[in-house]
Amino acid sequence: MESVDGEHSDGSDSDDGKGDELVDTLEMTVFRPCNANTEVFNTYGEHGSAYLLHRYGFCDTKNPFDSVALSADSVMQAFTMSVSEQRAKDVSAVIRRFEDLFESRHRACGQDEDEEDEEEVHDHGHDEESDEDIQDAGDEEQEELADDENAPQFSIDAPGHPDLNLAALLVLGLADEAVFAKASQSEQVFRHYFPVIRRFWSMFQDELDNDTPVPAAFRKANQDGAVKKSTVGMVSNVIYRLAEARLQLLVDDSVLGEKPTADCDPLMASRWESAKMLRSNERKTLSQCIKTYKKIAAKLS
């Protein structure tokens, strides 16, 4: 195997006399047979515009995998405003305790394998903890969550829905004290119920994307009665407010600075255009989220 500079991958020089021809070239391999003169495509993967711009220096106007990041601080503030500061601390402790359930996944990737067996009980050797232990942990966890580079990433995903982990966390975190205590203090209950809520919200979003009316979408997704209608209304209210707050950060494009002139620096001009397009894509995703979840909040509250 040879690299683009004409050397073998083991570091030895090429002896086929074609080393110079490989300079500044990129070798691509198709993964299935294709006929001569057939158009082929290179995929960059199922990534949002922000990732594509950061990694490859471009983004498209329409990307079904777009995702707008929400800070952990903004999510915890939502719990503080909607319930209490103590609830925000308790939710932070829950995220730490069950961090394996909060691995970042895009809803377009389909159902997770571990969700297929949500009936299975996972015993990690510490099923119950005292209220005092959990409360003490919460005081420290909330402060550390935003600073931890391994903290879960919450987002609003195209076409305008919360990521499933965020939706499920809001359902549990906004519940009344008795329900939240039961779910958060028992590992068995939480590991059973969290995937159930994720599955409900995934089905609910799919129905909405298929233009199913809100009440019917809720009924179809909630055939097992896992989530209350009023809970979905309350969660939707928080979701669109999170989207509104995030949208405010994208209003002013002057943060991009002056556009570089193409004749002076074509590459920088192209990247500037892509950065502007990214912000436009994110505004569209957030605006659609606000529109959708305001409607849900009104219908189900």
Side-chain angles (χ1 to χ4, degrees):
M1 178 178 179
E2 293 184 329
S3 64
V4 295
D5 61 1
E7 292 185 350
H8 287 285
S9 57
D10 62 2
S12 62
D13 291 334
S14 172
D15 57 2
D16 59 4
K18 298 181 180 180
D20 293 340
E21 297 177 8
L22 296 176
V23 175
D24 295 329
T25 65
L26 174 65
E27 179 180 306
M28 302 181 70
T29 304
V30 295
F31 63 89
R32 63 178 179 231
C34 61
N35 296 324
N37 300 318
T38 300
E39 185 177 16
V40 295
F41 298 91
N42 175 39
T43 176
Y44 289 84
E46 298 178 349
H47 301 300
S49 295
Y51 179 92
L52 293 175
L53 179 59
H54 175 73
R55 186 72 180 270
Y56 302 110
F58 78 95
C59 60
D60 292 325
T61 54
K62 294 182 179 180
N63 184 347
F65 305 108
D66 263 338
S67 183
V68 185
L70 300 175
S71 70
D73 278 344
S74 68
V75 175
M76 293 306 109
Q77 184 64 22
F79 288 114
T80 298
M81 299 293 292
S82 301
V83 186
S84 67
E85 183 177 357
Q86 184 57 51
R87 176 60 62 85
K89 294 178 180 179
D90 292 341
V91 170
S92 295
V94 166
I95 293 174
R96 292 294 192 190
R97 185 182 179 196
F98 302 103
E99 60 183 359
D100 60 299
L101 295 179
F102 288 90
E103 294 178 0
S104 297
R105 304 180 181 97
H106 195 287
R107 60 187 293 265
C109 294
Q111 179 178 322
D112 303 313
E113 292 181 1
D114 58 345
E115 289 184 11
E116 297 177 358
D117 302 314
E118 77 274 358
E119 298 292 338
E120 179 181 351
V121 175
H122 299 266
D123 183 5
H124 287 206
H126 50 278
D127 183 66
E128 305 293 340
E129 293 183 19
S130 69
D131 292 344
E132 184 177 351
D133 290 339
I134 293 176
Q135 181 168 342
D136 289 344
D139 292 338
E140 299 176 358
E141 304 293 357
Q142 186 181 11
E143 296 178 359
E144 297 177 358
L145 188 62
D147 298 328
D148 185 359
E149 61 181 13
N150 295 318
Q153 301 297 309
F154 300 116
S155 61
I156 303 296
D157 299 334
H161 296 297
D163 75 81
L164 298 183
N165 284 339
L166 173 59
L169 185 68
L170 288 172
V171 169
L172 289 171
L174 297 176
D176 61 49
E177 190 60 39
V179 172
F180 178 76
K182 180 180 179 180
S184 63
Q185 295 178 21
S186 168
E187 180 160 345
Q188 178 178 336
V189 172
F190 192 90
R191 289 189 178 277
H192 165 77
Y193 196 45
F194 193 78
V196 169
I197 303 175
R198 278 176 49 93
R199 176 172 292 182
F200 157 79
W201 212 275
S202 177
M203 296 174 62
F204 184 51
Q205 291 178 355
D206 288 343
E207 292 294 337
L208 294 173
D209 290 343
N210 289 328
D211 296 325
T212 305
V214 172
F218 173 78
R219 289 194 299 272
K220 289 182 178 181
N222 197 44
Q223 293 183 11
D224 59 358
V227 183
K228 293 182 179 179
K229 181 172 69 173
S230 58
T231 299
V232 176
M234 179 169 53
V235 168
S236 298
N237 185 68
V238 172
I239 290 169
Y240 87 73
R241 292 184 184 279
L242 282 169
E244 284 181 331
R246 185 66 175 85
L247 184 59
Q248 288 300 310
L249 301 178
L250 296 169
V251 171
D252 187 7
D253 281 343
S254 65
V255 296
L256 298 176
E258 293 291 332
K259 178 181 178 180
T261 58
D263 58 342
C264 178
D265 193 338
L267 179 59
M268 291 304 298
S270 175
R271 289 180 175 175
W272 188 93
E273 289 287 358
S274 290
K276 186 175 181 179
M277 187 182 300
L278 166 63
R279 292 172 66 86
S280 176
N281 289 352
E282 291 186 334
R283 284 194 291 264
K284 290 176 183 177
T285 297
L286 292 169
S287 295
Q288 183 59 47
C289 177
I290 294 167
K291 178 181 178 181
T292 298
Y293 284 87
K294 269 189 175 182
K295 180 179 179 180
I296 296 172
K299 294 285 186 180
L300 299 184
S301 295

